[in-house]
Amino acid sequence: MKAEPLGSSKAIGLLLTAFSFCVVLSNPSKGAEADLFDWSARELALIQSLSLSQLLPPPSSPSNKYADDPEAAALGRAIFHDSRFSANGEVSCATCHRQDYGFTDDLPKGLGIGLASRRTMPIVGMAYQKWFFWDGRADSLWSQTLGPLENPVEHGIDRHQVQQLVLAHYSQPYQQVFEDDATNQPVDQVFANTGKALAAHVRTLLPEKTRFDLYAHALQSDSKETGILTEAETRGLRLFVGKAKCINCHNGPMFTNGEFHHSGTPDDGEPDPGRGTAFLELEATEFGFFGKWSDADPEADGDHIRFLDRDTRKYVGTFKTPTLRGASDRPPYMHNGTFTSLAQVLNNYRAVSGSTLADEVSHGDLTDRDLNDLEAFLGTLSSNSNDVHN
Ligand code: HEC
Ligand code: HEC
């Protein structure tokens, strides 16, 4: 008899616990400040999906058999920094892709021998990408690296000069990696191999841990961690994975799906067709994934090309989703460098929502505070953001 009342009060206690648990679950992010640090199971899973701890080792690069050869990477690294590979002896890859600036530069348009038509892209985490350039006109990393060498406004040289420069300055390491003297090989083969060495180096550029990653890690043991992100940053993160839907495109540990979208960036002159014209260039090159100099097995590799959606009209005016890691440290933004601050990027997302320019973004419901909070959150994705500002 004595056990009964005890039992029923226990049952009531359990019921109450279950009830309050349900209240928390059904009201995960209604905005009450008291709930700020309470994450739902879904939010927790999305946060983990963005964490660097989820970044797998880089996938293989079947079209470049030297991709993971350390000697090829060392050769590529030397050429990456060598300004003799340019028409005026002053431009190297590192001129535009500056290590001290997140491997991009602070200009609206890349500046080499002349002015490029788009902004220099940050090149961290390239090993995880399938398409390269803002319009994805290169289908493999080594094929991409050959573009700037022969581009008259970037390095401004040609493949014959590349062969001469390799022979003059890198004859021995070249022979070591490619098991043949660059004099014995056709100029196109030396050119392709130079690209493969450059790609082997670029593949080694990987993101650094940020305050966001520390937070994601801490959440695994304490789902209410409060010491690493400020309140504004926490609200921004909740918006990013929820109401603001940023995660639809900026997803995975690199904060990009690697795909092409209309995001409503205003033109700063002639409209840029973006992905719309890239398919033609893809077909035209013999340095592509299925080209003459590729190491890929045409039967087994290259699904990204085989199953490519080539609907040109659909892709006019779309650009590759950039990574957001480190973004707060390296303005300007977008393919044409048209915005000088993150606040401008975010304001534009809200302003263009629903317009035909930006049929894929719907951020019209974001308040001013939401935009500030999102900007605060983006700041946690920079590796030098390790001070806690609470
Ligand atoms: C004059 C400045 C400049 C130089 C020099 C330069 N780049 Fe770039 N890089 C850019 C610009 C601008 C883009 C975007 C171009 C576009 O989309 O049309 C880009 C894009 C890239 C990308 C694509 C990134 C992505 O996410 O798709 C990679 C990789 C890259 N460059 C590597 C290199 C390498 C390797 C070199 C040296 C061989 C080099 N770049 C030289 C300005 C430069
Ligand atoms: C439909 C896909 C999509 C969605 C949703 C989206 N983005 Fe983007 N984002 C892009 C694309 C594509 C670009 C590049 C556009 C360009 O170059 O013109 C971009 C660029 C950016 C940039 C500039 C980065 C740089 O290096 O230039 C920032 C910052 C950014 N987005 C943040 C956000 C935030 C925050 C949200 C949520 C409010 C969001 N994005 C939602 C696709 C998207």
Side-chain angles (χ1 to χ4, degrees), residues 26-46:
S26 64
N27 185 17
S29 60
K30 283 273 148 63
E33 290 296 310
D35 288 341
L36 179 62
F37 296 101
D38 269 321
W39 295 105
S40 69
R42 180 170 184 276
E43 287 171 324
L44 283 172
L46 290 175

PDB file of all heavy atoms in Angstrom, residues 26-46:
ATOM      1  N   SER A  26       8.949  20.985 -28.714  1.00  0.00           N
ATOM      2  CA  SER A  26       8.018  21.577 -29.660  1.00  0.00           C
ATOM      3  C   SER A  26       8.256  23.080 -29.792  1.00  0.00           C
ATOM      4  O   SER A  26       7.670  23.731 -30.605  1.00  0.00           O
ATOM      5  CB  SER A  26       6.584  21.317 -29.207  1.00  0.00           C
ATOM      6  OG  SER A  26       6.390  21.991 -27.983  1.00  0.00           O
ATOM      7  N   ASN A  27       9.130  23.611 -28.948  1.00  0.00           N
ATOM      8  CA  ASN A  27       9.356  25.052 -28.986  1.00  0.00           C
ATOM      9  C   ASN A  27      10.864  25.319 -29.019  1.00  0.00           C
ATOM     10  O   ASN A  27      11.394  26.014 -28.164  1.00  0.00           O
ATOM     11  CB  ASN A  27       8.715  25.657 -27.718  1.00  0.00           C
ATOM     12  CG  ASN A  27       8.787  27.174 -27.742  1.00  0.00           C
ATOM     13  OD1 ASN A  27       9.015  27.755 -28.792  1.00  0.00           O
ATOM     14  ND2 ASN A  27       8.636  27.792 -26.577  1.00  0.00           N
ATOM     15  N   PRO A  28      11.545  24.727 -29.992  1.00  0.00           N
ATOM     16  CA  PRO A  28      12.996  24.735 -29.936  1.00  0.00           C
ATOM     17  C   PRO A  28      13.612  26.106 -30.186  1.00  0.00           C
ATOM     18  O   PRO A  28      14.627  26.434 -29.654  1.00  0.00           O
ATOM     19  CB  PRO A  28      13.404  23.759 -31.042  1.00  0.00           C
ATOM     20  CG  PRO A  28      12.263  23.762 -31.993  1.00  0.00           C
ATOM     21  CD  PRO A  28      11.038  24.106 -31.210  1.00  0.00           C
ATOM     22  N   SER A  29      12.986  26.916 -31.016  1.00  0.00           N
ATOM     23  CA  SER A  29      13.693  28.141 -31.379  1.00  0.00           C
ATOM     24  C   SER A  29      12.710  29.289 -31.533  1.00  0.00           C
ATOM     25  O   SER A  29      12.810  30.082 -32.434  1.00  0.00           O
ATOM     26  CB  SER A  29      14.440  27.919 -32.693  1.00  0.00           C
ATOM     27  OG  SER A  29      13.529  27.583 -33.689  1.00  0.00           O
ATOM     28  N   LYS A  30      11.763  29.324 -30.656  1.00  0.00           N
ATOM     29  CA  LYS A  30      10.753  30.375 -30.782  1.00  0.00           C
ATOM     30  C   LYS A  30      11.314  31.745 -30.419  1.00  0.00           C
ATOM     31  O   LYS A  30      10.604  32.731 -30.387  1.00  0.00           O
ATOM     32  CB  LYS A  30       9.519  30.033 -29.926  1.00  0.00           C
ATOM     33  CG  LYS A  30       8.646  28.964 -30.579  1.00  0.00           C
ATOM     34  CD  LYS A  30       7.643  29.591 -31.548  1.00  0.00           C
ATOM     35  CE  LYS A  30       7.293  28.730 -32.736  1.00  0.00           C
ATOM     36  NZ  LYS A  30       6.641  27.503 -32.447  1.00  0.00           N
ATOM     37  N   GLY A  31      12.585  31.794 -30.065  1.00  0.00           N
ATOM     38  CA  GLY A  31      13.197  33.090 -29.885  1.00  0.00           C
ATOM     39  C   GLY A  31      13.230  33.579 -28.450  1.00  0.00           C
ATOM     40  O   GLY A  31      13.867  34.591 -28.174  1.00  0.00           O
ATOM     41  N   ALA A  32      12.552  32.923 -27.542  1.00  0.00           N
ATOM     42  CA  ALA A  32      12.627  33.350 -26.144  1.00  0.00           C
ATOM     43  C   ALA A  32      14.089  33.303 -25.730  1.00  0.00           C
ATOM     44  O   ALA A  32      14.763  32.311 -25.944  1.00  0.00           O
ATOM     45  CB  ALA A  32      11.790  32.422 -25.283  1.00  0.00           C
ATOM     46  N   GLU A  33      14.582  34.415 -25.166  1.00  0.00           N
ATOM     47  CA  GLU A  33      16.006  34.488 -24.854  1.00  0.00           C
ATOM     48  C   GLU A  33      16.436  33.354 -23.939  1.00  0.00           C
ATOM     49  O   GLU A  33      17.561  32.878 -24.023  1.00  0.00           O
ATOM     50  CB  GLU A  33      16.340  35.845 -24.224  1.00  0.00           C
ATOM     51  CG  GLU A  33      16.260  37.009 -25.205  1.00  0.00           C
ATOM     52  CD  GLU A  33      17.275  36.915 -26.338  1.00  0.00           C
ATOM     53  OE1 GLU A  33      18.462  36.706 -26.058  1.00  0.00           O
ATOM     54  OE2 GLU A  33      16.864  37.015 -27.499  1.00  0.00           O
ATOM     55  N   ALA A  34      15.508  32.903 -23.045  1.00  0.00           N
ATOM     56  CA  ALA A  34      15.879  31.847 -22.110  1.00  0.00           C
ATOM     57  C   ALA A  34      16.253  30.577 -22.862  1.00  0.00           C
ATOM     58  O   ALA A  34      17.068  29.784 -22.409  1.00  0.00           O
ATOM     59  CB  ALA A  34      14.723  31.575 -21.167  1.00  0.00           C
ATOM     60  N   ASP A  35      15.676  30.393 -24.053  1.00  0.00           N
ATOM     61  CA  ASP A  35      15.919  29.177 -24.823  1.00  0.00           C
ATOM     62  C   ASP A  35      17.126  29.299 -25.749  1.00  0.00           C
ATOM     63  O   ASP A  35      17.424  28.371 -26.492  1.00  0.00           O
ATOM     64  CB  ASP A  35      14.700  28.852 -25.695  1.00  0.00           C
ATOM     65  CG  ASP A  35      13.543  28.361 -24.871  1.00  0.00           C
ATOM     66  OD1 ASP A  35      13.772  27.939 -23.721  1.00  0.00           O
ATOM     67  OD2 ASP A  35      12.423  28.411 -25.375  1.00  0.00           O
ATOM     68  N   LEU A  36      17.774  30.437 -25.707  1.00  0.00           N
ATOM     69  CA  LEU A  36      18.813  30.723 -26.691  1.00  0.00           C
ATOM     70  C   LEU A  36      19.826  29.596 -26.854  1.00  0.00           C
ATOM     71  O   LEU A  36      20.233  29.260 -27.953  1.00  0.00           O
ATOM     72  CB  LEU A  36      19.529  32.028 -26.308  1.00  0.00           C
ATOM     73  CG  LEU A  36      20.670  32.453 -27.220  1.00  0.00           C
ATOM     74  CD1 LEU A  36      20.166  32.711 -28.638  1.00  0.00           C
ATOM     75  CD2 LEU A  36      21.345  33.702 -26.675  1.00  0.00           C
ATOM     76  N   PHE A  37      20.193  29.006 -25.735  1.00  0.00           N
ATOM     77  CA  PHE A  37      21.252  28.005 -25.810  1.00  0.00           C
ATOM     78  C   PHE A  37      20.708  26.575 -25.857  1.00  0.00           C
ATOM     79  O   PHE A  37      21.458  25.624 -25.749  1.00  0.00           O
ATOM     80  CB  PHE A  37      22.231  28.191 -24.643  1.00  0.00           C
ATOM     81  CG  PHE A  37      22.956  29.512 -24.724  1.00  0.00           C
ATOM     82  CD1 PHE A  37      22.567  30.587 -23.940  1.00  0.00           C
ATOM     83  CD2 PHE A  37      24.014  29.685 -25.613  1.00  0.00           C
ATOM     84  CE1 PHE A  37      23.230  31.814 -24.040  1.00  0.00           C
ATOM     85  CE2 PHE A  37      24.671  30.906 -25.717  1.00  0.00           C
ATOM     86  CZ  PHE A  37      24.282  31.971 -24.922  1.00  0.00           C
ATOM     87  N   ASP A  38      19.397  26.433 -26.001  1.00  0.00           N
ATOM     88  CA  ASP A  38      18.801  25.095 -26.127  1.00  0.00           C
ATOM     89  C   ASP A  38      18.700  24.723 -27.596  1.00  0.00           C
ATOM     90  O   ASP A  38      17.955  25.353 -28.345  1.00  0.00           O
ATOM     91  CB  ASP A  38      17.371  25.089 -25.557  1.00  0.00           C
ATOM     92  CG  ASP A  38      17.376  24.728 -24.097  1.00  0.00           C
ATOM     93  OD1 ASP A  38      18.164  23.846 -23.714  1.00  0.00           O
ATOM     94  OD2 ASP A  38      16.574  25.329 -23.352  1.00  0.00           O
ATOM     95  N   TRP A  39      19.392  23.714 -28.013  1.00  0.00           N
ATOM     96  CA  TRP A  39      19.334  23.308 -29.423  1.00  0.00           C
ATOM     97  C   TRP A  39      18.441  22.090 -29.571  1.00  0.00           C
ATOM     98  O   TRP A  39      18.485  21.181 -28.737  1.00  0.00           O
ATOM     99  CB  TRP A  39      20.724  22.956 -29.927  1.00  0.00           C
ATOM    100  CG  TRP A  39      21.680  24.108 -29.957  1.00  0.00           C
ATOM    101  CD1 TRP A  39      22.702  24.341 -29.084  1.00  0.00           C
ATOM    102  CD2 TRP A  39      21.707  25.184 -30.904  1.00  0.00           C
ATOM    103  NE1 TRP A  39      23.368  25.487 -29.436  1.00  0.00           N
ATOM    104  CE2 TRP A  39      22.781  26.030 -30.551  1.00  0.00           C
ATOM    105  CE3 TRP A  39      20.931  25.509 -32.018  1.00  0.00           C
ATOM    106  CZ2 TRP A  39      23.097  27.182 -31.264  1.00  0.00           C
ATOM    107  CZ3 TRP A  39      21.254  26.653 -32.733  1.00  0.00           C
ATOM    108  CH2 TRP A  39      22.322  27.485 -32.358  1.00  0.00           C
ATOM    109  N   SER A  40      17.668  22.029 -30.641  1.00  0.00           N
ATOM    110  CA  SER A  40      16.879  20.826 -30.913  1.00  0.00           C
ATOM    111  C   SER A  40      17.821  19.764 -31.489  1.00  0.00           C
ATOM    112  O   SER A  40      18.928  20.087 -31.943  1.00  0.00           O
ATOM    113  CB  SER A  40      15.777  21.133 -31.925  1.00  0.00           C
ATOM    114  OG  SER A  40      16.353  21.397 -33.193  1.00  0.00           O
ATOM    115  N   ALA A  41      17.351  18.518 -31.503  1.00  0.00           N
ATOM    116  CA  ALA A  41      18.184  17.440 -32.050  1.00  0.00           C
ATOM    117  C   ALA A  41      18.519  17.727 -33.515  1.00  0.00           C
ATOM    118  O   ALA A  41      19.636  17.491 -33.984  1.00  0.00           O
ATOM    119  CB  ALA A  41      17.439  16.114 -31.930  1.00  0.00           C
ATOM    120  N   ARG A  42      17.554  18.296 -34.236  1.00  0.00           N
ATOM    121  CA  ARG A  42      17.785  18.597 -35.657  1.00  0.00           C
ATOM    122  C   ARG A  42      18.863  19.665 -35.811  1.00  0.00           C
ATOM    123  O   ARG A  42      19.763  19.544 -36.645  1.00  0.00           O
ATOM    124  CB  ARG A  42      16.466  19.067 -36.281  1.00  0.00           C
ATOM    125  CG  ARG A  42      16.583  19.404 -37.740  1.00  0.00           C
ATOM    126  CD  ARG A  42      15.209  19.639 -38.385  1.00  0.00           C
ATOM    127  NE  ARG A  42      15.394  19.856 -39.806  1.00  0.00           N
ATOM    128  CZ  ARG A  42      15.710  21.031 -40.326  1.00  0.00           C
ATOM    129  NH1 ARG A  42      15.859  22.087 -39.543  1.00  0.00           N
ATOM    130  NH2 ARG A  42      15.880  21.148 -41.644  1.00  0.00           N
ATOM    131  N   GLU A  43      18.746  20.720 -34.995  1.00  0.00           N
ATOM    132  CA  GLU A  43      19.751  21.787 -35.079  1.00  0.00           C
ATOM    133  C   GLU A  43      21.140  21.249 -34.727  1.00  0.00           C
ATOM    134  O   GLU A  43      22.129  21.571 -35.393  1.00  0.00           O
ATOM    135  CB  GLU A  43      19.390  22.930 -34.122  1.00  0.00           C
ATOM    136  CG  GLU A  43      18.212  23.775 -34.606  1.00  0.00           C
ATOM    137  CD  GLU A  43      17.733  24.759 -33.531  1.00  0.00           C
ATOM    138  OE1 GLU A  43      17.759  24.400 -32.327  1.00  0.00           O
ATOM    139  OE2 GLU A  43      17.342  25.874 -33.893  1.00  0.00           O
ATOM    140  N   LEU A  44      21.185  20.415 -33.684  1.00  0.00           N
ATOM    141  CA  LEU A  44      22.484  19.863 -33.287  1.00  0.00           C
ATOM    142  C   LEU A  44      23.107  19.073 -34.436  1.00  0.00           C
ATOM    143  O   LEU A  44      24.303  19.176 -34.709  1.00  0.00           O
ATOM    144  CB  LEU A  44      22.336  18.967 -32.059  1.00  0.00           C
ATOM    145  CG  LEU A  44      22.177  19.706 -30.719  1.00  0.00           C
ATOM    146  CD1 LEU A  44      21.843  18.718 -29.605  1.00  0.00           C
ATOM    147  CD2 LEU A  44      23.441  20.485 -30.372  1.00  0.00           C
ATOM    148  N   ALA A  45      22.269  18.294 -35.126  1.00  0.00           N
ATOM    149  CA  ALA A  45      22.795  17.487 -36.240  1.00  0.00           C
ATOM    150  C   ALA A  45      23.293  18.397 -37.361  1.00  0.00           C
ATOM    151  O   ALA A  45      24.355  18.158 -37.953  1.00  0.00           O
ATOM    152  CB  ALA A  45      21.709  16.545 -36.758  1.00  0.00           C
ATOM    153  N   LEU A  46      22.549  19.472 -37.652  1.00  0.00           N
ATOM    154  CA  LEU A  46      22.980  20.392 -38.723  1.00  0.00           C
ATOM    155  C   LEU A  46      24.280  21.088 -38.339  1.00  0.00           C
ATOM    156  O   LEU A  46      25.175  21.265 -39.172  1.00  0.00           O
ATOM    157  CB  LEU A  46      21.877  21.422 -39.012  1.00  0.00           C
ATOM    158  CG  LEU A  46      20.630  20.854 -39.684  1.00  0.00           C
ATOM    159  CD1 LEU A  46      19.548  21.925 -39.814  1.00  0.00           C
ATOM    160  CD2 LEU A  46      20.963  20.291 -41.075  1.00  0.00           C
TER     161      LEU A  46
END
